[in-house]
Structure formats: structure tokens, C-alpha cells
Amino acid sequence: MLDELLSRADVRAAQRLHSVRDARRVARRKLPAVLFDYVDGAADDEVTMRRNEDAFAAVAFRPKMASGDTQPRLGVTVLGKTLDFPVLLGPCGLVRLLHPDGPAGVARAAASKGTVSVLSTVAGSPVEEVAEESRAPVWFQLYSAGGLAEADALSDRAAAAGVEALMITVDTPTLGNRERDVRHGVAPPLRLDAHNAVPLGVQALARPRWAAQLAATGIKLSRRGADPSEHGGGLLSSVASPFSWDDVEHLRRRWDGPFLVKGVLSATDARRAVDAGADAVVVSNHGGRQLDGAPATLRVLPEVVAAVGGDAEVLIDGGIRRGSHVVAALALGARAVLVGRPYLFGLAAAGERGVERILDILRTEMRRTMVLMGCSSVDQLGPDWLEVPSP
Ligand SMILES: Cc1cc2nc3c(=O)[nH]c(=O)nc-3n(C[C@H](O)[C@H](O)[C@H](O)COP(=O)(O)O)c2cc1C
């Protein structure tokens, strides 16, 4: 009964979202401040996070009028998988805490909208549980604080759970300085303990609905020293994962399926990833959460695309908040994009329905942008559709 009321409330809340910005506003209202800041924040002065968004804002489109095509084709294949439109849900920590629908709800939402989500090692739910509960295709992003032995074990579990593709994140040899988390007394990494339990308890009481929902899911909030390989045994937001290129190559050799390397920001590293056996590279600065001062991802995309040539697929994330941003990224050579915060805000605002709504919004915006530009298919996009100011 309560479940039904809550899910109807989510349907209504989702219908009221008309942009990613709306979802952010509702998420801020619904989440305890510590969780909102965990999602919304980035490293140090958050310069790189802003750069990501500013780079998209600086792009100008060069439309071709009177093309007459109002049904542009948005479908793509990514690593052999056909997607209805080129937006994937990127790997994110603590998804489990944002809403009871959690990572399984995210995977279902992605599948229902014709795309796929990537489950993070530290999302808060075991990969087996997400695969089983969602009955949706899952890709898995691997972190390992415990070296290669732990990484191998996680990769084996992912394979056994039926994960379709493995992603290795290479930009987290140590954790970025997320000052908003530090100020809440929970970093790094974000974790509940005796010192912060009282102030965080007060924050949770200020969001009784969130607290009640979470209590209903029976999640264990605290486990000092929890091991991420236990997934969800504790509340670990992220974990330093100092992979070398040799490690990446090793993991590639052991993984029988599509393999992605996430977190490259230069032609040189993109080539290294390809040489290590990556089928796809993700141009990413972790949404500005790692090295503050790193360049906007859109700025380095062309150099990566040129370096990789046809040897691997190139994806990008960071700062995508509108369908028009997806169009810009594709025009500069990305095959598809990933989003992080947009769907986390959607999840916090309205659960699985909120994630679906965000995907609908991005797709609708993307389609409208294509029609207004006079472009009938994503295959036709190229740099000539844009004006990009020099850095
Ligand atoms: C709250 C949060 C948690 C994240 N956790 C992970 C993670 O566990 N593994 C990872 O590879 N990237 C992680 N990321 C980075 C995202 O996968 C992605 O690169 C980034 O969010 C893209 O930028 P955007 O949020 O502007 O879309 C996280 C991002 C956020 C916002």
C-alpha cells in the first residue's frame, strides 16, 4: 500500500520535470544535504566541473535550413549493442542511497528507454543483485583498492552475473579533494561514523521521507573499513584504484567481451588504452571530481578521436545537461555520451520514473536540436555543423 502510494508520487514527480535543471532542484529538496552535495559537488574549486559545462555552452551550431526532415535518426551502436539514442548512464557511487529503486531501477530505466547503464563497483548494490533484480543488461565499472587479485575476483563475479561489458576507470589513483564532503565531515571517502553520525542524523531527519524510504530498504549505513568488493556491505562512496597500463592490459586479457577504458584526457593516453586492448575509450575527467584544473572533456575530444582513428570507439562524458550537448559531442566525433549527475538527480527526484524522464527529456531535446539544425541522422554529424571557439 505504502509502496504503491510512493510509486504514484514518483510518477507525478517525474511528470513535473522538464529539464535536468528541474531534477537538480527537486533532488536538492529531497536529499539530505550531505548526499546532494556528494552528487552535485566536485574537486577543489570545482573549476573543471564548470569547464565541462562551459565548453558546451561555448559551442555554436551552424544549421542548414529547409531540409524538410522532421524525423532524424538517433540510433547508434556502441560496442555492437544497438541503442535507441546515444546516451548511456555512467557509473556512479552511492546510487543505492539516493532512492530505494537504486541501481536496479537505474538499469531498468535505461533498458526501457533503449539504452544501457554502467554499474559502479561502489554503487552500493552487488552486481549479482542488480543483474538479478533488474533483469536488464548491465555493464560494470571496476574499481579495486585491493590490487589485481581483488580486481580479478570482481571481474569474474561480473562475468558470472552476465555483465555485458567491463569498464576500467583510470583517473582515480587517489581520490580527488571533494571539499563539500569534507565539510560535512564524511570524506574521504564518504562514510558514516561516530563523529559525523549526529550532524548527518539531523540532516536525515530534515528529509523524513527520504529517511523512511531508506529505512524500508533495510540498507546498512555504516561499516568501518568496508571492502568495496563486498559491494554494499558498507557505505563507501569511492575508492582509490591505482591501475597501471599493465594492469589494464591484464584485465583486458581476462575479460571475454567488450572492454572500455574510462578517464582519458589526451591523445597519448587514448593510444595507450587502445594498445592495452580497449574497444572503447571514454574521454572523461570524472565530472570534475578528480584533478581540478583538468581540461573540459569536449575540448580534448577531437584530439582523442584523431589519435584513436578507427581503432576503438570514442565516448565522452562531463557536463552534458541538454540534448543539444549530445549533438555537439557527436559532431566532434564521439559515438555516444554518458551522463552522471543528470540521471542521479532524476533518481533522487522520482526514482526509476525520474531516470526514465531524464532520458526522455534528453532524447526529445536531441531530436528537436537535430530537426532545427536540418540534420536527418547522427551519422551525418561532423565538425562542419559547429563553431567551436579556440581555447
Ligand atoms: C556522485 C557521483 C559518483 C561517481 N562515481 C563514479 C564511480 O564510482 N566510478 C566512475 O568511474 N565514475 C564515477 N563518477 C563519474 C561519472 O561516471 C561521470 O564520469 C561523470 O559524472 C560525468 O559528468 P556529469 O556528472 O557532468 O555527467 C561519479 C560521478 C558522480 C556525480
Side-chain angles (χ1 to χ4, degrees):
M1 179 65 185
L2 180 65
D3 274 2
E4 202 171 303
L5 279 178
L6 289 172
S7 76
R8 266 198 246 139
D10 279 344
V11 170
R12 282 195 304 275
Q15 282 165 351
R16 285 195 291 268
L17 303 177
H18 300 292
S19 66
V20 169
R21 197 173 290 174
D22 284 353
R24 178 178 182 272
R25 208 179 46 244
V26 178
R28 176 173 235 158
R29 219 175 55 225
K30 290 198 169 175
L31 289 175
V34 60
L35 273 183
F36 177 77
D37 279 336
Y38 167 67
V39 172
D40 194 56
D44 296 343
D45 297 313
E46 305 187 342
V47 170
T48 293
M49 178 169 73
R50 282 192 299 279
R51 267 184 197 162
N52 282 344
E53 291 192 35
D54 290 350
F56 284 104
V59 162
F61 291 115
R62 297 173 57 89
K64 300 179 180 150
M65 298 309 175
S67 76
D69 194 338
T70 56
Q71 297 296 325
R73 284 180 295 285
L74 307 185
V76 291
T77 60
V78 175
L79 298 174
K81 189 176 182 71
T82 305
L83 305 182
D84 286 358
F85 69 120
V87 178
L88 296 88
L89 305 182
C92 289
L94 292 195
V95 170
R96 180 84 175 80
L97 285 191
L98 302 181
H99 188 282
D101 290 346
V106 170
R108 280 192 302 267
S112 80
K113 296 297 168 187
T115 182
V116 71
S117 68
V118 188
L119 175 71
S120 161
T121 302
V122 292
S125 302
V127 62
E128 296 84 356
E129 184 185 299
V130 175
E132 165 81 27
E133 240 184 63
S134 68
R135 308 224 160 266
V138 174
W139 293 12
F140 183 70
Q141 176 262 325
L142 197 152
Y143 274 144
S144 166
L148 270 189
E150 185 181 302
D152 287 350
L154 274 167
S155 150
D156 291 347
R157 280 176 55 187
V163 161
E164 289 181 350
L166 187 68
M167 177 184 280
I168 307 296
T169 297
V170 291
D171 62 13
T172 315
T174 187
L175 290 182
N177 175 37
R178 325 261 170 85
E179 273 180 17
R180 297 201 217 179
D181 297 352
V182 177
R183 287 203 189 86
H184 285 294
V186 288
L190 195 145
R191 178 187 287 153
L192 262 193
D193 59 27
H195 301 290
N196 60 32
V198 171
L200 296 187
V202 171
Q203 285 187 15
L205 288 177
R207 299 288 185 273
R209 189 188 144 138
W210 172 87
Q213 281 180 332
L214 191 78
T217 67
I219 194 168
K220 245 203 253 158
L221 276 185
S222 176
R223 194 106 121 49
R224 208 166 237 299
D227 176 349
S229 69
E230 291 175 12
H231 298 273
L235 179 75
L236 268 180
S237 58
S238 23
V239 47
S241 212
F243 290 124
S244 68
W245 289 112
D246 286 345
D247 296 341
V248 173
E249 211 175 319
H250 164 91
L251 290 163
R252 156 73 289 184
R253 273 200 306 269
R254 290 184 85 257
W255 179 259
D256 184 20
F259 185 87
L260 304 92
V261 172
K262 171 172 180 275
V264 302
L265 286 171
S266 67
T268 313
D269 280 351
R271 275 315 314 174
R272 283 202 180 120
V274 173
D275 293 344
D279 302 305
V281 297
V282 184
V283 178
S284 174
N285 52 34
H286 218 109
R289 299 163 75 83
Q290 285 297 106
L291 174 66
D292 198 31
T297 48
L298 193 70
R299 295 286 181 177
V300 295
L301 176 64
E303 123 181 17
V304 169
V305 169
V308 166
D311 297 340
E313 296 179 8
V314 179
L315 312 183
I316 183 174
D317 72 18
I320 289 151
R321 303 290 178 266
R322 292 277 184 193
S324 56
H325 301 166
V326 184
V327 174
L330 265 61
L332 290 180
R335 180 173 283 255
V337 309
L338 293 86
V339 290
R341 296 179 185 87
Y343 85 87
L344 299 179
F345 292 143
L347 181 69
E352 183 178 335
R353 300 288 157 259
V355 179
E356 289 177 351
R357 180 76 175 171
I358 290 297
L359 287 169
D360 280 342
I361 288 169
L362 291 173
R363 176 165 34 193
T364 304
E365 290 177 348
M366 189 184 167
R367 173 173 292 126
R368 188 183 300 111
T369 302
M370 297 277 288
V371 175
L372 290 171
M373 284 170 70
C375 184
S376 61
S377 168
V378 287
D379 305 337
Q380 289 179 8
L381 288 168
D384 52 321
W385 290 88
L386 302 182
E387 271 172 27
V388 186
S390 26

